[in-house]
Amino acid sequence: MRKILVTGAAGQIGSELVPALRQLYGDENVIAAGHRTPMPDDVRESGPAITVDVTDVASVQRAVRDHDVGTVYHMSSLLSALAETNRQRAHAVNIEGLYNVLEAAVDNDVDQVIVPSSIAAFGPDTPPDNTPNETLQRPTTLYGISKVFGELMGNYYVEKLGLDVRGLRLPGIISWKTEPTAGTTDYAVAIFYAAIRDGRYTCYLRPDTRLPMMYMPDCIKAIIDLARADASRLRHHTDFNVGAVSFTPAELAEVIASRLPDFSIDYDVDPLRQGIADSWPNSLDDSAAREEWDWNPSFDLDAMADDMLDNLSRKLAGEGRSDQEE
Ligand SMILES: NC(=O)c1ccc[n+]([C@@H]2O[C@H](COP(=O)([O-])OP(=O)(O)OC[C@H]3O[C@@H](n4cnc5c(N)ncnc54)[C@H](O)[C@@H]3O)[C@@H](O)[C@H]2O)c1
């Protein structure tokens, strides 16, 4: 089979997508492409691993051409809060990087490109509750603007160039394996680390900030299910809403406190991230994804909290033991 290339393979999602794809398609068929972020050992050691800078045309072209790549999962990105603090890099990675990947795909007869969008593709003018798939978007962050660019460019390559580009608007992703980087929804991961280590957490969002979220196993399932979906059923391509759970920091804290009774939370609001969160939806209407490729998440808030606490406690206990051994 032609190879699968995963850019951003050391990231929060890439580091879990690569093992899932290797399990499905075979270790040798999935190439993990990292950049500066160190790649987790299991990702680096379980199959081919290369370095790709998506802002460098030659680097992207080489990776796609030299490895006979048939599918690209393009996970490289600067997330919301980081993009706001570095406009130039955000433009280079999120806009030029995506363009380089799409062009390399066309030049080298790639069959399919998967590009995640985000709830950041919406803005303050978007209806916030049960946000429709088709609605006014007008994001006010650089990250969100780059995501709308990605959706529109992806659809352009589908229609004008016959490239099979697919994408979904991911909500905040919660996971225990790789810590997230400078996103706005990261509190929902950091709170679990803090609850286990310190029994308390200071949240940078207001207690009533409701945002759509998803647990990593559902995220991986959504990405792979969309990639494998029957093309003849798809009316959308790059811009599927995918919902799973939706909660506020206060609600998440309550769920954690019901499992760790000594846990407490307080709030010290960061205006940058609060402003970003306030411009995003509270919940999503994902009926298009349900109708066109049978999207159906498995984890609700309680199931996610149980699994997070279980896995993260074991991970942190393991790290504690290896620190003592050093
Ligand atoms: N994690 C979330 O909550 C979330 C939510 C919505 C959408 N998404 C989208 O999912 C995708 C993956 O996100 P993630 O959470 O894994 O992000 P991440 O920040 O954890 O990982 C992104 C990776 O991109 C890499 N990168 C940065 N500059 C690069 C360059 N010049 N060349 C190549 N790689 C470069 C980084 O090394 C990093 O490992 C992104 O498109 C993101 O916008 C993520």
Side-chain angles (χ1 to χ4, degrees):
M1 69 174 271
R2 298 183 79 197
K3 303 287 190 237
I4 295 170
L5 178 72
V6 181
T7 69
Q12 187 194 6
I13 298 177
S15 63
E16 303 218 27
L17 182 62
V18 168
L21 290 171
R22 284 184 175 154
Q23 199 163 17
L24 268 177
Y25 297 106
D27 292 345
E28 288 310 307
N29 290 321
V30 181
I31 303 165
H35 183 230
R36 290 190 184 144
T37 315
M39 222 179 259
D41 293 346
D42 65 322
V43 173
R44 202 185 48 249
E45 288 161 12
S46 63
I50 60 174
T51 300
V52 172
D53 178 353
V54 296
T55 67
D56 175 358
V57 179
S59 166
V60 178
Q61 288 278 355
R62 224 177 10 253
V64 173
R65 188 188 56 232
D66 293 357
H67 297 92
D68 186 27
V69 168
T71 306
V72 182
Y73 288 77
H74 179 47
M75 298 294 134
S76 297
S77 179
L78 252 59
L79 266 59
S80 55
L82 187 57
E84 285 310 300
T85 62
N86 195 334
R87 287 196 299 280
Q88 247 178 342
R89 251 183 82 207
H91 185 270
V93 175
N94 294 7
I95 292 190
E96 285 167 30
L98 170 66
Y99 176 69
N100 292 339
V101 167
L102 291 170
E103 283 295 299
V106 170
D107 290 347
N108 296 283
D109 293 323
V110 165
D111 302 312
Q112 189 180 60
V113 180
I114 306 299
V115 189
S117 183
S118 161
I119 54 167
F122 297 117
D125 300 325
T126 302
D129 295 314
N130 207 26
T131 299
N133 211 90
E134 273 70 50
T135 186
L136 200 56
Q137 295 189 246
R138 280 193 200 153
T140 50
T141 61
L142 285 177
Y143 177 66
I145 292 166
S146 76
K147 288 300 178 190
V148 173
F149 172 82
E151 292 180 6
L152 296 176
M153 283 295 271
N155 281 333
Y156 179 93
Y157 279 72
V158 171
E159 278 160 32
K160 298 281 168 56
L161 294 148
L163 180 64
D164 182 4
V165 189
R166 301 183 186 189
L168 66 189
R169 294 177 181 139
L170 294 173
I173 304 301
I174 298 168
S175 69
W176 54 269
K177 184 177 166 189
T178 303
E179 285 188 65
T181 60
T184 298
T185 53
D186 296 359
Y187 90 84
V189 175
I191 194 172
F192 284 98
Y193 279 84
I196 294 167
R197 281 181 179 143
D198 313 321
R200 55 180 309 282
Y201 177 65
T202 302
C203 185
Y204 55 79
L205 294 182
R206 277 195 321 268
D208 61 348
T209 311
R210 184 171 299 283
L211 287 167
M213 302 274 184
M214 183 182 287
Y215 196 35
M216 185 63 88
D218 276 332
C219 168
I220 300 300
K221 179 168 82 135
I223 293 173
I224 293 178
D225 283 358
L226 174 59
R228 287 157 71 98
D230 177 354
S232 68
R233 285 180 63 196
L234 300 185
R235 286 183 294 107
H236 298 80
H237 295 280
T238 60
D239 47 15
F240 285 99
N241 283 0
V242 279
V245 286
S246 173
F247 54 78
T248 66
E251 288 166 356
L252 180 57
E254 212 177 292
V255 167
I256 293 175
S258 70
R259 288 150 175 85
L260 303 173
D262 292 336
F263 174 69
S264 67
I265 186 165
D266 60 6
Y267 298 88
D268 181 11
V269 172
D270 167 18
L272 171 65
R273 285 177 289 183
Q274 186 66 54
I276 296 174
D278 288 343
S279 76
W280 290 355
N282 303 328
S283 59
L284 303 169
D285 173 355
D286 59 5
S287 46
R290 288 173 188 265
E291 280 161 26
E292 294 176 42
W293 49 277
D294 306 319
W295 164 240
N296 188 17
S298 302
F299 285 83
D300 63 13
L301 180 51
D302 284 308
M304 183 270 286
D306 286 335
D307 204 68
M308 270 301 278
L309 287 171
D310 189 31
N311 281 299
L312 197 53
S313 302
R314 270 191 273 131
K315 175 181 156 176
L316 295 178
E319 285 173 8
R321 268 197 303 280
S322 59
D323 284 352
Q324 281 167 8
E325 283 159 14
E326 276 165 14

